Amino acid sequence: MLARVYSACLQGIEAALVSVEVDVAHGLPSFTTVGLPDAAVRESRDRVRAALKNGGFTFPVERITVNLAPADLKKEGASFDLPIALGILAATGAVKGDGLGALAVLGELGLDGGLRPVRGVLPTALAAAREGKRLLVPAANGSEAAAVEGLTVFGAESLSQVAAFLNGEIGLDPVGFGGPAPAESDELVDFAEVRGQAHVKRALEIAAAGAHHVLMIGPPGAGKTLLSRRLPTILPPLTGSEAIEASVIWSVAGLLAPGQGLLGQRPFRAPHHTISDAGLIGGGTYPHPGEVSLAHHGVLFLDELPEFHQHVLETLRQPMEDGVVTISRAGGSMTFPARFQLVAATNPCRRGCPSFEACACTPPERQRYLGKISRPLLDRVDLHVEVPSLTAEELTAPPRGESSVVIRERVIAGRERQLARFGRSRIRSNAQMGPRLLRRHCPLPPEGERLLSLAVARLGLSARGHDRVLRVARTIADLAGEESIRPEHVAEAIQYRSLDRGQSR
Ligand SMILES: Nc1ncnc2c1ncn2[C@@H]1O[C@H](COP(=O)(O)OP(=O)(O)OP(=O)(O)O)[C@@H](O)[C@H]1O
Ligand SMILES: [Mg+2]
């Protein structure tokens, strides 16, 4: 007998529907899987055999052939366990096959017949909704799948529960969407805790409002890590479509917690400086998303920037500019979204001297250290911020800054002005404006023009640096609630090119 069960396989961060055909025929007992399965899919037969037996079903002592169609798509992972097991049960008549045509199924089986959560349920749910199918997944994946509007999702705990459901012996309630995961709140992580450093907080507020990349440079203990880790507390909330896009990547990477629906807050990724290029931008035989994609619509925090391998840092250039990363491997080429906001921190020199004036390093030593951050990379960072050591008074006085909630309100207002300006286009923030939009939205008054050309001449700004100033000036004007950019906005934006100044000296 032949049975067909629908499932899905991942191609990068998209899922394609796969038809799992199971034929159980007389002949010498065997179990063959064809259709480009990887090792995990081939191992499926041992799990399926044990799960069927321990779930109280009979495993047919016959010739079993499983075909995963279309045959030219590579299939990986353990999510085919459940569709294969159901195919065998349908082919031997142990479950009724009539409900299977309208259903897509996936799930890993334990040897006891229990269902374990799998990766990539959210993109599968999007594919099932596109194809007009209903979806049956392990219960722990239910809320993730239910985030897709208009899709009926069933969650099950075990193979025997699924079999009873298909045979009409029990009913399963469709899983409801519980909303995105609530944002974690930690009162200790708040800008109110930060002493002094008012101009750094201001720079981070601008960065948050316009989604600008930012580099902080300062001596050890000045508070760079402390400040960066507080950035998520002032970022605007994820919009609905951003939450889906970011959660799809987390789902493919298997990082959504069991029972978690969508990401409830912008991701914050802080990889260690020993990370490889494959870890940062993605890779593997079948390319998997890297940290830049996991930080999509959120923050990628690179602490101690010059300690990263230089070739790893250079791989950031394409995604920083384009918001996507393309990885080519023997197994195929994949494009992943990677619209992250880079926040980087560094000491001014390897010894970590307390200030520029008191630096014991020679100019070539300093140059060698910061030189690891290449000019093209620096050019792509909108805001360079110096973080000086705290004075004795600042250290002893109680922290008096604004709390994150207050700053966040201004950030949200500034971001809403940008969204209104860009309308229905794909551009969501000032940092994404290309040359055409810059010309349209960032006209300067004559005094602003004069300041900017002076800065280009004095600091040796590149064309890219010039455009960065315009984008940041636009965000500063948005935070001030101004329709047009004023000279003081340009003057403030120029201050955030301090490393260009350092390089031209
Ligand atoms: N502005 C500040 N307000 C309050 N506490 C601060 C401030 N700056 C530093 N600290 C204290 O000093 C500690 C070290 O700060 P942090 O780790 O952020 O420094 P850093 O600039 O990242 O140093 P390094 O260059 O060595 O990484 C913090 O845990 C915090 O307790
Ligand atoms: Mg630090």
Side-chain angles (χ1 to χ4, degrees):
M1 270 277 286
L2 177 72
R4 178 176 289 122
V5 183
Y6 291 100
S7 190
C9 70
L10 290 173
Q11 301 292 302
I13 56 160
E14 302 220 337
L17 277 201
V18 167
S19 138
V20 180
E21 296 163 354
V22 181
D23 180 55
V24 179
H26 294 305
L28 279 180
S30 66
F31 194 141
T32 320
T33 311
V34 295
L36 275 192
D38 79 343
V41 181
R42 279 195 303 271
E43 279 176 0
S44 181
R45 60 181 166 211
D46 298 319
R47 285 190 298 271
V48 167
R49 187 181 287 124
L52 283 174
K53 284 191 174 154
N54 295 328
F57 302 96
T58 348
F59 186 80
V61 191
E62 288 179 280
R63 194 159 58 87
I64 302 171
T65 312
V66 176
N67 178 32
L68 308 171
D72 57 340
L73 293 183
K74 294 197 175 76
K75 326 287 184 316
E76 52 165 347
S79 63
F80 290 103
D81 290 1
L82 180 61
I84 292 175
L86 285 180
I88 294 175
L89 290 177
T92 52
V95 302
K96 291 187 188 141
D98 19 332
L100 284 172
L103 201 61
V105 205
L106 73 167
E108 176 180 337
L109 283 172
L111 299 189
D112 58 354
L115 275 175
R116 300 217 174 107
V118 289
R119 321 184 274 117
V121 168
L122 185 52
T124 303
L126 289 167
R130 263 197 316 271
E131 305 278 341
K133 302 241 183 270
R134 303 191 295 171
L135 186 66
L136 194 150
V137 294
N141 290 126
S143 19
E144 179 185 341
V148 176
E149 241 174 87
L151 176 75
T152 309
V153 178
F154 301 107
E157 300 284 354
S158 65
L159 177 61
S160 36
Q161 198 185 11
V162 179
F165 170 62
L166 290 171
N167 286 335
E169 293 155 12
I170 59 164
L172 286 178
D173 289 331
V175 185
F177 179 45
E184 287 166 29
S185 81
D186 181 351
E187 281 171 21
L188 291 177
V189 181
D190 193 294
F191 270 96
E193 296 296 307
V194 181
R195 296 184 156 89
Q197 310 295 22
H199 74 288
V200 187
K201 290 194 233 170
R202 165 75 178 160
L204 288 177
E205 179 177 334
I206 298 170
H212 299 287
H213 302 310
V214 47
L215 170 66
M216 278 183 265
I217 175 160
K224 300 179 297 296
T225 305
L226 182 92
L227 283 151
S228 313
R229 293 212 170 263
R230 277 154 181 75
L231 180 66
T233 62
I234 59 166
L235 290 176
L238 281 168
T239 64
S241 59
E242 284 175 344
I244 295 256
E245 280 177 33
S247 306
V248 161
I249 301 168
W250 278 55
S251 169
V252 168
L255 289 180
L256 288 180
Q260 180 176 1
L262 299 181
L263 286 179
Q265 52 194 334
R266 292 185 184 270
F268 182 88
R269 304 291 300 176
H272 189 254
H273 60 71
T274 49
I275 192 169
S276 66
D277 46 1
L280 191 63
I281 64 158
T285 325
Y286 308 118
H288 282 282
E291 291 292 337
V292 293
S293 299
L294 292 171
H296 184 54
H297 291 315
V299 174
L300 178 69
F301 175 42
L302 302 184
D303 207 358
E304 320 292 351
L305 192 67
E307 302 296 335
F308 285 73
H309 299 293
Q310 201 170 354
H311 69 274
V312 173
L313 288 184
E314 295 311 307
T315 58
L316 284 175
R317 280 156 56 173
Q318 186 218 355
M320 277 173 81
E321 198 95 331
D322 304 338
V324 294
V325 61
T326 304
I327 303 153
S328 299
R329 292 285 185 278
S333 153
M334 290 283 166
T335 298
F336 296 119
R339 174 117 4 243
F340 60 89
Q341 179 178 4
L342 176 70
V343 176
T346 176
N347 292 143
C349 57
R350 179 172 293 282
R351 287 199 187 96
C353 301
S355 71
F356 191 75
E357 290 73 31
C359 184
C361 305
T362 61
E365 276 175 334
R366 271 201 302 270
Q367 181 56 37
R368 237 193 333 275
Y369 188 61
L370 284 187
K372 285 184 77 179
I373 315 169
S374 72
R375 182 70 198 252
L377 189 69
L378 271 184
D379 255 2
R380 285 168 170 79
V381 176
D382 297 352
L383 301 146
H384 307 158
V385 196
E386 283 172 41
V387 187
S389 297
L390 290 180
T391 60
E393 296 88 75
E394 283 172 329
L395 264 179
T396 43
R400 268 193 302 263
E402 288 174 309
S403 74
S404 295
V405 177
V406 177
I407 307 176
R408 188 168 187 249
E409 270 172 26
R410 288 197 299 268
V411 167
I412 292 175
R415 187 68 73 95
E416 275 168 2
R417 258 177 225 115
Q418 296 165 51
L419 290 177
R421 180 179 314 121
F422 300 128
R424 297 163 69 86
S425 77
R426 291 171 56 86
I427 306 283
R428 319 291 299 165
S429 66
N430 288 339
Q432 295 174 23
M433 278 191 284
R436 208 166 49 85
L437 286 180
L438 274 179
R439 273 200 304 279
R440 187 185 315 158
H441 297 304
C442 306
L444 294 185
E447 176 60 13
E449 288 280 6
R450 203 185 59 78
L451 276 175
L452 188 51
S453 19
L454 211 65
V456 169
R458 291 252 174 93
L459 303 180
L461 284 192
S462 66
R464 212 186 262 128
H466 169 276
D467 288 358
R468 303 263 157 212
V469 172
L470 281 182
R471 286 190 191 101
V472 172
R474 180 66 265 170
T475 304
I476 297 173
D478 285 336
L479 275 173
E482 303 265 0
E483 218 24 70
S484 25
I485 303 178
R486 293 155 56 117
E488 60 264 33
H489 303 148
V490 179
E492 186 180 353
I494 292 170
Q495 286 178 26
Y496 299 121
R497 302 302 309 168
S498 60
L499 286 179
D500 294 331
R501 191 164 61 228
Q503 297 219 348
S504 63
R505 246 201 308 244

